[in-house]
Amino acid sequence: MGVLTFTEEVASSLPAGKLYKGFFLDIDTILPKILPDFIKSIEIEGDGGVGTIKNVTLAAGLKVVSMKQRVDVIDKEALAFTYSVIGGDILLGKLESIVNQFTVVPTGEGCLLKMTTIYNPIGDEVIPQENIKEAAEESAKLFKAVEAYILANLDEF
């Protein structure tokens, strides 16, 4: 089928630096706090920088329960962050990887989160559109939950 690429932009009232810190640099401590019924654990191999591996275990009963992520880019000056999903049942046995590229752009009233997701299938595997749609919906819910947490705890960021 070939590589599939999707882009999206989401506006936020948060200052760009605070969104970047909370959503990318502090995410491993925020997610288990705000979504304890969704995130079972996050095991980190590395110092949190580029090359760090994160083994995420999701709650039992979900369609997927594991993913292995690798941090590929952390650029605090450009407010850019990239990570790749390189393992786990989230890849459905159909994907080699999922690359997630983010850039936070300051705006007059907050910021804009620009996201690009690249699905790299194994060979000629076809990724069902419903899986991609579901992933996008879950990402939107996750973004709103993290954004609300940061807004409620702005002084921590």
Side-chain angles (χ1 to χ4, degrees), residues 129-150:
Q129 288 300 314
E130 63 267 13
N131 291 85
I132 293 170
K133 182 181 177 194
E134 188 176 318
E137 289 169 356
E138 291 301 318
S139 291
K141 287 180 195 174
L142 177 73
F143 176 80
K144 288 299 178 190
V146 173
E147 180 186 43
Y149 179 85
I150 297 168

Side-chain angles (χ1 to χ4, degrees), residues 88-132:
D89 62 359
I90 197 166
L91 296 177
L92 307 171
K94 296 177 181 288
L95 294 163
E96 183 177 311
S97 67
I98 304 168
V99 179
N100 297 282
Q101 302 168 330
F102 302 90
T103 304
V104 181
V105 179
T107 63
E109 306 256 332
C111 65
L112 189 65
L113 177 62
K114 295 183 176 189
M115 302 172 279
T116 300
T117 303
I118 304 164
Y119 295 89
N120 297 297
I122 297 170
D124 293 330
E125 287 286 349
V126 175
I127 301 115
Q129 288 300 314
E130 63 267 13
N131 291 85
I132 293 170

